[in-house]
Amino acid sequence: MHRYLRAVGFSRIETKLQEVRLLKSMEKAPVFGGIGHEEHEQSYMELLCEVGHGIGVILHGYRDTEGRFQREYYFPYMEGLIMTPMEGCHIRRHKDKESYAVLSEEYRLGSALIFFLMNGIEYRERREQKKSSELAGCYLTGISTKGTILLPVQKTERQIQKIKASTRERDQMMEAARDGDEEAMENLTIEDITLYSQISRRMLKEDVYSIVDSCFMPTGVECDHYMVIGDITKIDQIQNTWTQEIVYRLQIVCNGIDISICINNRDLLGQPEVGRRFKGDIWLQGYGVFKEYEK
């Protein structure tokens, strides 16, 4: 059973039999179905079943020679709201199924960003048709089954402007360091040592969440799972029309990156409000926007 199914409003699905019945119902009622690729008399397909505004389940499989849909795997999804521009993305196929992961050297995080590509069938079609398969950006979504609302870190307007200027300067240094600038590498090293020293002193007297404003850190053994802390900028409540459960879509900014968080209201501790922070573990997905060749 997919452990993130509850995030889109199916928290009462607890047995394998209930899961099979639900998926069979979805196969009969998709709002979109498209043949992605034909191979060895089989047509690879993607069925999208929307169960609320912008949320649902995507089923991947193929049509056999008798025209019946054979499901290979499925995953819950939520549509993202803001596109994050990306450069230097690498798309790789998973070994165990017809799905793809994206690796992006995201300098704002200081490390590689890995996420599950939601529109993998489109990527495969573009490659088959010799179209551009390079990503211009992605709508990032974090699927979560446990989250907590934190109070914001109080800042003056002057502090906010100073942080923005410092972030822009660090981004420029990170980009220069990636291009081989030794002075930028040295400055970043000194900055990290100074920051570590400041945090060590503050940790003796302050709570960790008053020091760590935002966080984006890999968690667990799976490469596309992260622990995030980010500022909430927008809140939507979505009702699952199949179960009547309420799902939150929390738009957050984490280390300068916009992510739409999908979480069942039963799994969220605290009252979400714009300006507060979200903390939780997420499975990171992304809907890719592909570049087009210039004519």
Side-chain angles (χ1 to χ4, degrees):
M1 186 184 302
H2 205 294
R3 60 174 168 161
Y4 290 100
L5 196 59
R6 64 179 295 114
V8 294
F10 292 102
S11 64
R12 297 186 180 91
I13 301 298
E14 299 176 346
T15 67
K16 190 67 178 179
L17 182 59
Q18 289 175 327
E19 178 196 25
V20 171
R21 288 174 177 170
L22 175 66
L23 296 177
K24 287 293 184 182
S25 299
M26 288 181 172
E27 290 173 12
K28 297 176 182 178
V31 296
F32 170 78
I35 296 177
H37 181 69
E38 291 190 5
E39 184 177 304
H40 303 302
E41 299 182 350
Q42 293 179 351
S43 300
Y44 285 97
M45 296 191 67
E46 175 184 273
L47 301 181
L48 184 150
C49 183
E50 190 174 67
V51 298
H53 182 63
I55 64 171
V57 176
I58 294 178
L59 302 96
H60 277 254
Y62 59 92
R63 293 285 184 191
D64 60 21
T65 55
E66 298 179 1
R68 293 175 298 189
F69 178 74
Q70 302 293 334
R71 184 181 68 255
E72 291 188 330
Y73 71 95
Y74 74 97
F75 62 91
Y77 78 93
M78 170 180 275
E79 294 177 0
L81 296 180
I82 300 176
M83 188 184 84
T84 299
M86 291 184 176
E87 293 291 339
C89 292
H90 304 280
I91 303 176
R92 297 290 182 269
R93 184 184 183 275
H94 291 127
K95 292 183 178 180
D96 58 336
K97 56 181 178 290
E98 187 64 36
S99 60
Y100 299 86
V102 179
L103 170 65
S104 173
E105 293 291 339
E106 183 53 65
Y107 61 85
R108 283 172 291 184
L109 300 176
S111 63
L113 178 68
I114 301 174
F115 58 89
F116 181 89
L117 184 64
M118 294 167 60
N119 53 331
I121 290 291
E122 180 183 357
Y123 167 73
R124 180 168 177 166
E125 281 186 325
R126 296 181 72 90
R127 291 196 63 185
E128 292 292 329
Q129 297 170 10
K130 307 300 182 183
K131 294 182 179 179
S132 169
S133 58
E134 185 179 356
L135 291 176
C138 281
Y139 292 88
L140 294 176
T141 304
I143 308 296
S144 178
T145 58
K146 186 178 182 181
T148 305
I149 300 299
L150 303 178
L151 293 175
V153 176
Q154 188 175 9
K155 309 185 193 75
T156 64
E157 187 61 33
R158 184 179 178 181
Q159 287 174 320
I160 293 173
Q161 295 303 321
K162 186 177 179 180
I163 290 171
K164 287 182 179 179
S166 177
T167 301
R168 285 195 297 269
E169 184 179 346
R170 182 175 175 82
D171 289 347
Q172 291 171 357
M173 283 196 295
M174 289 289 293
E175 196 166 0
R178 287 178 61 189
D179 294 335
D181 190 325
E182 293 185 3
E183 184 179 353
M185 295 179 191
E186 184 178 346
N187 289 336
L188 285 169
T189 302
I190 294 172
E191 185 179 297
D192 287 343
I193 293 172
T194 304
L195 182 62
Y196 177 79
S197 177
Q198 291 174 347
I199 290 174
S200 297
R201 290 196 300 269
R202 291 181 62 183
M203 283 287 289
L204 298 174
K205 299 180 180 180
E206 299 180 46
D207 180 79
V208 63
Y209 293 122
S210 67
I211 301 172
V212 180
D213 191 6
S214 66
C215 172
F216 194 96
M217 183 173 63
T219 183
V221 297
E222 296 173 275
C223 56
D224 52 5
H225 287 61
Y226 300 89
M227 193 279 283
V228 299
I229 301 175
D231 295 323
I232 300 173
T233 59
K234 191 175 186 298
I235 301 170
D236 293 315
Q237 289 190 31
I238 304 170
Q239 186 176 49
N240 184 314
T241 56
W242 289 43
T243 64
Q244 312 309 313
E245 293 184 24
I246 300 299
V247 173
Y248 279 114
R249 174 163 53 198
L250 307 177
Q251 191 66 35
I252 71 168
V253 177
C254 178
N255 287 24
I257 295 178
D258 294 287
I259 305 174
S260 297
I261 301 296
C262 174
I263 186 169
N264 195 308
N265 71 332
R266 300 182 180 187
D267 298 325
L268 185 62
L269 179 62
Q271 181 61 41
E273 290 185 11
V274 172
R276 294 182 177 179
R277 293 180 293 168
F278 170 85
K279 171 185 173 291
D281 293 342
I282 64 169
W283 173 37
L284 192 63
Q285 301 177 349
Y287 186 91
V289 178
F290 296 93
K291 293 182 179 179
E292 297 294 343
Y293 290 126
E294 295 183 2
K295 296 183 180 180

